[in-house]
Structure formats: C-alpha cells, structure tokens
C-alpha cells in the first residue's frame, strides 16, 4: 500500500501530493503576487529582503532559488551577484515558473530558468554558493530528501536559507487562527476567486514543522551552525545552515 | 544569526568602499577570523575574493576581542578606537587585519546619494559630521571641566605631574630608608666586636 502524507489537513497517498499541490499553484499562479501583498499587507517583501541580506552574497556567486515561483527572491539575488554571478530560478510548477520567467523578461533580464523537483535537483554536487527555498519546503512531500539534495548541490561553506511560515508566538495564536481560517479563504475567494487553495495554505502552514523541528531536520540533513530568526512574531521564520 | 549576517554585510560593504583592503586580505584567503564579543562569537572565513564570509570554524586563525572601551569610543574616535581590542593568533594575519581595519572608512555620502540625491546626501553627511564633532567636542569639554573641578576645586584628584613627583619622592624616601636600615644593621653587627675588645 502507498504511504500517506498530509495535504493540508487531509491524508493523501504520497504519490498524489505533488499533483494536488501542483493543482493549487496552477490555480493561483496568475494572482499569486497580488495575493501575497494582500495577505501579508506587503510584509512578504520585507521578509524576502531580510533573507537576501542574510545570504552573504557577493558579485560572481552562484545561487539556486528552489521553488522560486514568481522570482521575488531571484530578482533580489540578481542585484547582489551582479553580471558576473548566476542565479538559477527553479520551480516544479510550470505555471508559477512561467509567471516568474515572464516577469523577469518584462524587466529585460534573462536568468536561467529550470522546471525541476526540489527533491531531485538536476545539478552537480558542490556547485552553488547559496541555495534558497522560500515558502516552498512546506509543499514538498519528502522534506528530508529535499534538504539533503540542497546540501548536495551546495559548495562546502555554502549556505542554505529556508524562509517559511512557522509557529506563531503563542499569545497571538487565536488571532492568527481566526485570520488564517476565516479571513484568508475569504480574501482568496474575493481576489483570486479560489477559496480552497487558500484554505490549503492555512492548513499546510499548521502541518509544517515548527522552528526547532525544522532546525533539527536541517542538522540531520548535514547542515552545521543551523540557526533561525523569527519574523513577525514567528508567522515566518528564516532558517540558515552551512554545508561543512 | 541576524548579528552575524549584519556584521558580515557591514564589513564587506566597508571593504568595498575602501580600495585595496580586500586585495590586502586576498593573500590570507581561507584563513578564519573570530570576533569574540564575550556573549556571542562570530566566525568568518576570508573568501577567495578577499571578503569576509560567515563560516563554521572550529579553531580560528585569529581572534579579535573588542573591549567595552572600543564600543563606547567607536562613534567618536573611529579607527583609533580599534586600538581597544585584544588580538591573538597568526601574527601575519593579525598585522594585515590591523592594517585593513585602520584603512577602512565608511563613505556615508555614497550610500545616501542613491536614496536622497547627491546634494542632499552631501548636506546630510556634513550635518552628521558636524553634529558628531560637536558631540565629541562637548564630551571632551565636559571631561576637561570635570577633571579640572575634581583637581583644582574639590581637590579630590591629583594632577598627573603631582602624582609623578609624589611617586618620585616616595621612591627616594624608600631608598633612603633602605640605606639607613642597611647602615643600622651594619653598625649593630659591629657592636659585639667593639664591646668585646
């Protein structure tokens, strides 16, 4: 019998999760950026800038943006690594990747774009100075495998940045739950005409490992000096680890 | 974590703004440096391009321990404040780091210009410099006045020259006393011989 995993609060066969996640992102891709702004009141831009500031990038470096979607991080990384550097935008979902690629083309940039699975990265060992995954790890079926893959493609001394929803500060939980399960699907319905996808978003956040748990997972995957920083009272956390 | 990232970014920004500094560090590429702030330690490796990169380090090649005096003096004394740090480790690397830290300078105007424009950046920079100079001057004057009051008016403290003279007099007195004691001992030693003859 096929192993099961969670898809939001539902239990689904592991082999079905990727397709179900893909459905969600095909559905929201066109409205993804505007929904991010509406849902986070623009805060996601600050979270991403903070993540890039922690990447320690310099001109000429090679960066891999896993689950990069609409290229928010890729565009910021490009500014840091300059013309001599490389930023690879990847995503498993073609609709999201197309949004990101088109957005960059409209800005006159043509960074390499690759559709690939974060759990099976088609890149050589010890290749990148920095790997990032922003709001993507949550949707992966085998997070441990994805982290191990990211470790494999990083150069020794390179760093992994995981920006992801996390466990919010306890006193804020009731308000956050109200927002996530009542307001978020409503906003999804009004703005993106898709309440179900945003219901999944709220549920998947609750099912994602908390700060300490993810830290342990990164250490198990081979990362050293793993640390995290809570953003907006733990709504989001940035985890950072180094390949040794 | 956040502090290490900020230190790394700030150091590299200063290196970028100070020509020749990253080049000077190039010959130490691969070496590791630890900034030991007692409560937290931040490890960096000098990358192949001469810039600092946060790293996992077991035994650093050089350790820099800024003292509290450095933190308080840094805004007013700038690079000179770096004398108030303890250095240990590879002497060649430390010599280069010392030279680099003394030659880095923050071009505030260049950082402000893209945000507020050249003229405003220049004026803001001048304003900041003048304000800092006035604050420094104010603190120096306050310190001078306080010391003058404690020495001249309240006589709670002694002037440096007076302390030196007093020390010299104490030394002379100690020498005289030692000589007298030696003389007395000598005389006391002769006393039985005189009594016996």
């Amino acid at each position: 019998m096929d192993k099961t995993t969670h898809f939001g609060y539902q239990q689904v066969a592991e082999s079905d999760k990727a397709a179900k996640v893909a459905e969600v992102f095909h559905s929201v891709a066109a409205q993804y950026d505007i929904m991010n702004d509406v849902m986070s009141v623009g805060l996601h831009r600050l979270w991403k800038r903070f993540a890039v500031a922690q990447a320690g990038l310099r001109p000429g470096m090679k960066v891999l943006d896993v689950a990069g979607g609409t290229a928010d991080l890729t565009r910021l990384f490009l500014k840091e690594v300059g013309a001599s550097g490389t930023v690879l935008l990847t995503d498993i979902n073609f609709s999201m990747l197309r949004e990101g690629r088109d957005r960059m083309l409209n800005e006159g940039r043509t960074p390499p774009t690759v559709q690939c699975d974060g759990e099976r990265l088609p890149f050589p060992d010890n290749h990148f100075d920095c790997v990032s995954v922003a709001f993507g790890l949550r949707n992966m079926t085998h997070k441990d495998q994805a982290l191990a893959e990211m470790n494999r493609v990083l150069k020794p001394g390179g760093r992994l940045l995981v920006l992801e929803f996390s466990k919010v500060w306890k006193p804020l939980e009731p308000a956050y739950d109200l927002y996530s399960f009542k307001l978020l699907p409503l906003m999804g319905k009004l703005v993106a005409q898709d309440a179900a996808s945003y219901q999944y978003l709220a549920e998947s956040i609750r099912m994602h490992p908390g700060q300490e748990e993810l830290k342990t997972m990164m250490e198990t995957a081979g990362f050293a000096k793993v640390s995290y920083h809570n953003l907006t009272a733990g709504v989001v956390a940035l985890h950072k680890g180094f390949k040794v | 974590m956040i502090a290490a990232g900020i230190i790394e970014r700030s150091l590299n920004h200063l290196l970028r703004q100070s020509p020749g500094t990253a080049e000077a560090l190039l010959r130490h590429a691969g070496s590791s440096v630890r900034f030991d702030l007692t409560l937290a330690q931040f490890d960096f490796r000098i990358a192949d391009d001469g810039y600092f990169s946060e790293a996992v380090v077991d035994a650093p090649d050089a350790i820099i321990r800024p003292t509290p005096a450095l933190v308080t003096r840094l805004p007013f004394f700038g690079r000179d404040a770096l004398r108030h740090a303890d250095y240990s480790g590879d002497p060649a690397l430390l010599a280069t780091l010392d030279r680099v830290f003394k030659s880095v300078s923050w071009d505030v105007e260049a950082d402000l210009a893209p945000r507020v424009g050249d003229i405003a950046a220049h004026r803001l920079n001048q304003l900041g410099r003048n304000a800092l100079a006035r604050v420094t001057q104010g603190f120096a004057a306050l310190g001078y006045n306080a010391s003058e009051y404690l020495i001249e008016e309240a006589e709670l403290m002694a002037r440096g020259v007076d302390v030196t003279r007093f020390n010299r007099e104490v030394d002379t007195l100690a020498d005289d006393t030692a000589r007298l004691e030696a003389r007395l001992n000598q005389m006391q030693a002769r006393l039985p011989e005189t009594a016996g003859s």
Side-chain angles (χ1 to χ4, degrees), chain A residues 95-107:
Chain A
S95 302
M96 292 290 289
L97 200 58
R98 188 176 51 197
E99 288 290 326
R101 183 200 60 190
D102 291 352
R103 195 171 168 197
M104 284 193 295
L105 285 173
N106 289 340
E107 290 172 2

Side-chain angles (χ1 to χ4, degrees), chain B:
Chain B
M1 180 187 85
I2 183 172
I6 291 168
I7 292 172
E8 179 189 39
R9 211 171 162 80
S10 308
L11 278 175
N12 288 339
H13 184 68
L14 289 176
L15 293 179
R16 256 192 298 278
Q17 285 191 335
S18 314
T21 49
E23 288 77 4
L25 287 170
L26 258 181
R27 66 192 183 98
H28 298 287
S31 300
S32 53
V33 183
R34 172 171 294 168
F35 292 91
D36 185 354
L37 307 186
T38 313
L39 292 176
Q41 294 178 336
F42 303 103
D43 294 334
F44 300 96
R45 202 170 283 288
I46 299 170
D48 293 341
D49 53 6
Y51 290 92
F52 288 99
S53 180
E54 196 185 344
V56 182
V57 176
D58 290 330
D61 297 304
I63 301 176
I64 299 171
R65 289 188 189 86
T67 59
L70 184 145
V71 180
T72 53
R73 292 171 70 103
L74 207 56
F76 306 111
F77 295 89
R79 291 188 296 253
D80 289 340
L82 291 170
R83 286 185 289 116
H84 296 270
D86 295 331
Y87 299 83
S88 62
D90 175 9
L93 174 60
L94 286 172
T96 308
L97 286 171
D98 187 46
R99 206 166 51 246
V100 164
F101 288 151
K102 279 178 181 157
S103 52
V104 292
S105 60
W106 182 22
D107 189 348
V108 186
E109 210 170 307
D111 286 338
L112 285 174
R115 286 169 179 81
V116 297
D118 290 337
I119 296 168
H122 179 70
R123 288 190 178 157
L124 281 171
N125 185 33
Q126 285 298 112
L127 200 73
R129 278 182 190 279
N130 290 343
L132 194 63
R134 276 171 200 272
V135 171
T136 311
Q137 202 178 6
F139 272 113
L142 188 71
Y144 181 76
N145 288 340
S147 67
E148 192 179 26
Y149 169 77
L150 291 171
I151 294 164
E152 306 292 346
E153 303 287 331
E155 294 184 349
L156 290 172
M157 285 174 71
R159 288 184 302 166
V161 283
D162 291 337
V163 172
T164 310
R165 191 173 56 229
F166 175 75
N167 286 343
R168 204 181 303 125
E169 285 172 4
V170 169
D171 288 344
T172 310
L173 183 64
D175 289 346
D176 290 349
T177 311
R179 267 198 300 277
L180 182 64
E181 201 176 343
R183 178 84 181 133
L184 283 172
N185 287 340
Q186 208 176 19
M187 287 169 75
Q188 208 166 16
R190 277 192 207 149
L191 206 57
E193 292 170 22
T194 318
S197 61

